Amino acid sequence: MLVIEGIVEEIIFRNEINGYTVARLNTSDGSITIVGKSAFINLEEMVELEGDWVYHDRFGEQFSFTKIKTTAPSTLKGIENYLASGLIPHVGKKTAKKIVERFGLDSLDIIQYNPERLKEIPGIGDKKLEKISKAYEEHRELRDIMVYLQQYDISINNGIKIYKKYGKETIKVIGENPYKLSEDIHGIGFITADNIAKKMGISEDSPFRIEAGLKFSMINSAGEGHCYLPKEELIKKSEKILKVDREAIEEAIQNLALRKNFYLVTEGEETLIYYMPYHIAENNVARKIIDLSMVEFDQLDVNIDEEVEKIEAREDITFGKKQVLAIKESLDNGVVIITGGPGTGKTTTINAIISIYEDLDMKVVLAAPTGRAAKRMTETTGRESQTIHRLLEFSFMESEDEMSFNKDDESPIDADVIIIDEASMIDILLMNSLLKAINPGTRLILVGDVDQLPSVGAGNVLRDLIESGCIRVVRLDEIFRQAEESMIIVNAHRINKGDYPILNEKDKDFFFMDTGSTQETLATILDLVQDRLPKYYGVDSLRDIQVLSPMRRGEVGINSLNKHLQEVLNPKDDNWQEKQVGDEIFRIGDKVMQVKNNYKLKWNLLKDGEEVDTGEGVFNGDLGFITDINNEESIVTVLFDDEKEVEYEFSELDEIKLSYATTVHKSQGSEFPVVLMPIHWGPPMLLTRNLIYTAITRAKKLVVLVGDRKYLSMMINNNKIAKRYSSLDKKIKDFLTNFYN
């Protein structure tokens, strides 16, 4: 290996994802081309490289480095380039120039040791000073850590995620247990952690490694919706990634159970294995739902039939028998589930229940799993609704690096009645947190469509509650006259029953456009979004139309659709700034979605352009628009739901994705005026009846399906709901049996 020193004089190419860099280096022997992976390499920076000479057929002789050491720049130009490199948020070219003009060669020392003096620079106040100072310190730590991680071929994006999680403890944590990466870092799987461990000398049959593989398999299965796995299935999954004997895996399972990482349940000849948090959550939910449902209430001073007649006269409506039953059950019981498809009167039933309780001076609290669902609930009820997270007053504990809720069994929700909409989206962990914060004596009403896709998280909560047979359930199944005028609603119910939809009726709202290939489908969707639908229906291409797809990949998967939709709806404009992150380019005006829960991310609530409130937490599935890209300060601003403004540092942009098109799963809890969907071949596990049913029920005014009708038939006929391993229904029955014994 050779060692070469020099100053970086030109960066020819740089891959922001993996750090692969081609640059020119000015050495004592002249200028040379260098190639290699580096998390940080800037103009005018002094570097020491370790590597060898290689010959490229096209570009000639190059120095390929495998290790790099950098030192702080020592020239005015070098310091300015370093500060303006975009690695320190809120310091761009203009601010870097001002700092160097003011402090000269002392600039970096000022930032590190006497940052208060930065306020001498126009435009830097207390708030910006704090961000710059913190970012600079983190950047210094991050450089050292990235050099350490580089030896394990960890990409820049993943390196930044690791640093965000562990901070200055990163090297210590990885040195003690590299497998923690697969447990703690989204996007880093067991294989990556295992490669690091191998380089550190951890053997294949190490119990440490086998236990990590088992944990990873269980965490992965929770991501697929499972609360547990049968033992045989867990062993098969683990054997694939571990490549060790079955006996070693079985021994590791027992050790994890002894340490209470796993919980083993024997059912007949089968052993079920839980990752402990999900076992605890299922038990708690089963116990608490029974406690709430078994409360005996005093008779309310109300004549329900008279109240129903008053509401019918006031609202000029007529309730169906099932609606009246739902109202009565909601007044008489501690827990009630109201389920039904579109057009069956869930909203009018909820409004009637709220009205009656408010007339009795009882406090009613409304919530939903997502921000968009909560906003829609507010619009349909005329009362304030909020996300379940806000209802529970979530907070982020920096010391524990985890989310917690201020509302729990010691500080319960102040309410007589709690109504939760879109209950099919609630996973077992969130349900556990919600029920902890509800006192026996508080009525709980869960409203949702059990035939939609289940929650993204683990569990099958709404379906299990219904199938337990222990909770009062009212199924609204009558389509009301006004709803019958909508083919969206009619076809949703037809599809749900396995019948083929009625298509292309004149002056209706449900259409199928036949295309012969995915290329033709893509072109048709682009034409519909950009031109035909806005002209014919007067809808806004960006705000009113949502393209949904079952898949991510392929010509009509969301990755391709987003790229092409951005090109036609928000093309490159030299007058607007943009930012590239990996394969995606973000522009002002882009529609984007938050793709992971971030409990620490701060937001400002805007009303008429003025800040009226602040808070924390942006959640998976939240939709918004980019309103500003500030390359000077390395900040992208997104406005969610037309009211919540969030600033993302460039290093956080892996948390948002373009969302002109999104998956059906990500659309849950949302409604859009117009839904467009490609219908083509895909894996049978994705082309299912409940997926197409969920997709079309997201539309309020118009559905347009584009593609091949045979695949629509295939989806309708494929009623195989993917098996989710959950035992909530059984546990509820067991707890109820014990309640009476």
Side-chain angles (χ1 to χ4, degrees):
M1 285 288 195
L2 301 174
V3 176
I4 288 179
E5 288 185 345
I7 296 175
V8 179
E9 62 182 13
E10 181 186 4
I11 295 177
I12 300 168
F13 172 79
R14 180 172 179 78
N15 184 318
E16 297 287 347
I17 297 295
N18 60 20
Y20 181 77
T21 303
V22 180
R24 294 291 292 175
L25 189 72
N26 189 353
T27 73
S28 58
D29 294 323
S31 183
I32 64 171
T33 299
I34 60 171
V35 296
K37 290 183 180 179
S38 171
F40 307 105
I41 189 167
N42 301 300
L43 289 173
E44 302 291 328
E45 195 167 40
M46 174 66 76
V47 296
E48 179 184 285
L49 306 174
E50 186 176 316
D52 282 307
W53 289 100
V54 296
Y55 187 83
H56 191 282
D57 290 340
R58 183 176 172 190
F59 300 112
E61 196 172 45
Q62 302 172 333
F63 187 80
S64 176
F65 65 88
T66 54
K67 290 184 179 179
I68 180 171
K69 290 181 183 178
T70 63
T71 58
S74 57
T75 66
L76 291 176
K77 187 64 177 173
I79 293 170
E80 186 177 328
N81 285 335
Y82 173 72
L83 292 176
S85 64
L87 296 169
I88 303 174
H90 308 285
V91 177
K93 292 180 181 178
K94 293 178 184 177
T95 304
K97 187 175 181 64
K98 290 177 185 177
I99 291 172
V100 173
E101 284 177 349
R102 179 72 182 86
F103 301 117
L105 295 175
D106 295 328
S107 295
L108 299 182
D109 286 340
I110 291 291
I111 296 174
Q112 183 173 356
Y113 301 113
N114 196 7
E116 280 290 320
R117 291 198 60 193
L118 288 177
K119 288 196 286 186
E120 297 174 21
I121 306 297
I124 298 181
D126 289 335
K127 193 173 180 181
K128 187 178 282 191
L129 168 65
E130 183 183 352
K131 290 180 178 179
I132 292 173
S133 183
K134 181 181 178 185
Y136 182 74
E137 181 60 31
E138 288 179 349
H139 177 59
R140 288 178 63 252
E141 289 177 354
L142 184 55
R143 286 173 72 93
D144 294 337
I145 287 167
M146 291 304 289
V147 169
Y148 170 79
L149 295 176
Q150 192 174 319
Q151 64 185 307
Y152 301 120
D153 295 323
I154 292 175
S155 71
I156 291 175
N157 278 0
N158 281 337
I160 291 171
K161 288 180 189 177
I162 293 167
Y163 175 73
K164 282 182 182 177
K165 176 69 177 176
Y166 304 128
K168 61 180 67 176
E169 299 295 312
T170 297
I171 295 173
K172 178 174 179 286
V173 169
I174 294 175
E176 290 176 352
N177 180 7
Y179 292 106
K180 273 190 71 63
L181 294 173
S182 63
E183 294 181 40
D184 296 342
I185 310 298
H186 178 73
I188 295 184
F190 177 81
I191 302 302
T192 300
D194 201 32
N195 286 336
I196 296 171
K198 285 175 183 174
K199 289 180 180 179
M200 293 172 64
I202 296 175
S203 65
E204 262 199 359
D205 59 355
S206 162
F208 197 50
R209 175 178 180 268
I210 297 169
E211 289 178 11
L214 283 162
K215 285 183 187 178
F216 175 74
S217 295
M218 290 301 293
I219 292 169
N220 235 20
S221 71
E224 295 168 356
H226 304 303
C227 290
Y228 69 84
L229 284 179
K231 182 179 177 182
E232 288 304 311
E233 192 164 328
L234 174 60
I235 289 174
K236 285 178 184 176
K237 281 177 179 282
S238 301
E239 280 178 330
K240 284 182 182 178
I241 62 172
L242 290 169
K243 307 279 193 299
V244 296
D245 293 339
R246 178 189 177 95
E247 291 75 15
I249 292 175
E250 289 190 329
E251 183 180 347
I253 289 172
Q254 293 300 323
N255 289 335
L256 286 164
L258 287 171
R259 294 204 303 274
K260 298 187 177 179
N261 294 114
F262 287 0
Y263 187 86
L264 277 55
V265 178
T266 302
E267 286 194 359
E269 296 182 359
E270 190 173 48
T271 300
L272 312 181
I273 301 177
Y274 280 88
Y275 202 43
M276 188 61 82
Y278 298 98
H279 170 67
I280 293 170
E282 273 199 348
N283 279 350
N284 289 347
V285 169
R287 185 184 300 110
K288 192 61 185 279
I289 209 79
I290 292 299
D291 289 346
L292 291 172
S293 64
M294 297 304 293
V295 173
E296 294 185 7
F297 295 97
D298 294 333
Q299 187 71 34
L300 292 172
D301 185 19
V302 59
N303 185 314
I304 296 176
D305 292 328
E306 287 182 5
E307 291 298 321
V308 167
E309 289 175 7
K310 284 181 190 175
I311 295 169
E312 288 179 325
R314 185 174 70 232
E315 303 294 334
D316 191 24
I317 57 175
T318 301
F319 288 112
K321 290 181 180 179
K322 291 285 187 73
Q323 286 181 295
V324 175
L325 176 62
I327 294 167
K328 289 180 177 179
E329 295 285 13
S330 297
L331 294 169
D332 292 340
N333 295 284
V335 181
V336 173
I337 295 172
I338 301 171
T339 185
T344 56
K346 293 193 297 294
T347 297
T348 52
T349 303
I350 292 171
N351 286 339
I353 293 166
I354 294 170
S355 177
I356 293 170
Y357 274 123
E358 287 180 342
D359 287 345
L360 293 168
D361 291 326
M362 297 175 73
K363 184 174 181 180
V364 181
V365 169
L366 310 180
T370 68
R372 292 181 72 86
K375 187 176 182 181
R376 197 174 72 250
M377 196 180 190
T378 296
E379 293 166 352
T380 57
T381 63
R383 280 87 168 173
E384 181 191 1
S385 177
Q386 56 193 311
T387 63
I388 296 173
H389 284 83
R390 286 203 80 186
L391 174 64
L392 297 177
E393 297 180 4
F394 79 90
S395 60
F396 191 84
M397 300 169 62
E398 292 282 355
S399 59
E400 303 282 333
D401 194 32
E402 64 181 25
M403 183 193 66
S404 66
F405 293 109
N406 293 328
K407 291 297 181 185
D408 54 21
D409 48 0
E410 295 182 0
S411 177
I413 299 164
D414 179 20
D416 298 305
V417 185
I418 297 172
I419 303 177
I420 305 293
D421 200 9
E422 295 287 356
S424 63
M425 297 179 67
I426 304 175
D427 63 40
I428 192 67
L429 297 181
L430 184 58
M431 191 65 174
N432 180 34
S433 297
L434 174 64
L435 294 183
K436 273 185 185 177
I438 301 177
N439 261 341
T442 298
R443 291 170 169 85
L444 175 63
I445 301 167
L446 299 172
V447 184
D449 187 346
V450 73
D451 294 316
Q452 287 187 22
L453 292 169
S455 62
V456 175
N460 213 355
V461 174
L462 184 62
R463 185 173 294 277
D464 280 354
L465 289 174
I466 292 171
E467 293 187 354
S468 73
C470 302
I471 311 298
R472 299 282 184 174
V473 178
V474 180
R475 295 178 183 269
L476 303 180
D477 50 18
E478 178 186 353
I479 304 177
F480 288 90
R481 188 175 303 164
Q482 62 272 28
E484 288 179 342
E485 297 174 6
S486 167
M487 295 312 299
I488 296 173
I489 291 173
V490 170
N491 283 335
H493 287 272
R494 288 180 66 85
I495 287 170
N496 201 29
K497 290 188 293 185
D499 297 331
Y500 198 77
I502 299 166
L503 303 174
N504 301 343
E505 290 214 336
K506 187 179 179 182
D507 298 326
K508 290 294 185 178
D509 55 9
F510 199 107
F511 298 93
F512 196 105
M513 300 185 68
D514 294 279
T515 54
S517 65
T518 54
Q519 293 93 335
E520 188 183 346
T521 296
L522 176 61
T524 302
I525 288 174
L526 296 179
D527 185 35
L528 286 165
V529 174
Q530 183 184 18
D531 190 46
R532 292 166 66 178
L533 292 178
K535 281 184 179 177
Y536 191 82
Y537 290 96
V539 293
D540 185 287
S541 295
L542 282 172
R543 295 186 173 274
D544 295 335
I545 301 173
Q546 184 61 52
V547 180
L548 303 179
S549 177
M551 295 165 292
R552 295 186 176 278
R553 296 180 178 83
E555 196 138 24
V556 288
I558 65 165
N559 295 338
S560 169
L561 284 164
N562 273 317
K563 179 181 176 183
H564 288 93
L565 285 164
Q566 184 190 46
E567 286 174 2
V568 299
L569 297 178
N570 195 23
K572 182 177 178 61
D573 186 335
D574 292 335
N575 295 318
W576 292 99
Q577 299 207 56
E578 59 180 41
K579 173 63 180 175
Q580 182 160 0
V581 181
D583 294 332
E584 278 191 320
I585 296 173
F586 292 119
R587 298 181 180 132
I588 293 174
D590 276 337
K591 183 192 286 189
V592 294
M593 177 182 284
Q594 176 80 10
V595 294
K596 60 173 285 191
N597 290 334
N598 185 330
Y599 306 109
K600 295 189 287 185
L601 205 54
K602 292 179 171 56
W603 47 260
N604 297 319
L605 188 66
L606 304 183
K607 189 171 184 181
D608 299 325
E610 298 292 324
E611 181 183 318
V612 296
D613 196 6
T614 61
E616 289 184 341
V618 184
F619 300 102
N620 189 356
D622 285 354
L623 279 168
F625 290 87
I626 294 177
T627 58
D628 187 44
I629 297 176
N630 190 328
N631 284 315
E632 170 71 15
E633 298 195 354
S634 304
I635 294 292
V636 170
T637 304
V638 178
L639 188 65
F640 289 101
D641 295 327
D642 297 322
E643 61 180 13
K644 218 158 58 173
E645 186 179 72
V646 178
E647 289 187 348
Y648 291 85
E649 296 178 2
F650 282 178
S651 62
E652 298 171 317
L653 290 179
D654 62 326
E655 296 189 8
I656 60 173
K657 297 289 182 186
L658 294 175
S659 62
Y660 298 96
T662 187
T663 62
V664 179
H665 282 85
K666 290 286 189 184
S667 74
Q668 285 179 269
S670 298
E671 276 190 350
F672 311 98
V674 180
V675 164
L676 266 174
M677 185 174 178
I679 304 292
H680 277 282
W681 181 89
M685 63 181 291
L686 291 178
L687 301 188
T688 62
R689 183 187 299 175
N690 67 342
L691 186 135
I692 185 67
Y693 173 78
T694 301
I696 66 175
T697 56
R698 301 304 88 209
K700 292 192 286 187
K701 295 181 179 177
L702 181 68
V703 168
V704 183
L705 307 178
V706 185
D708 188 332
R709 295 185 189 220
K710 73 181 178 186
Y711 293 110
L712 177 60
S713 297
M714 185 184 298
M715 295 178 86
I716 294 166
N717 293 329
N718 182 9
N719 198 30
K720 294 178 182 177
I721 298 173
K723 168 67 177 172
R724 283 197 169 201
Y725 293 118
S726 63
S727 292
L728 180 60
D729 52 347
K730 180 181 181 302
K731 288 180 178 179
I732 290 171
K733 293 174 188 175
D734 291 344
F735 276 113
L736 189 60
T737 300
N738 294 333
F739 187 91
Y740 283 112
N741 290 339

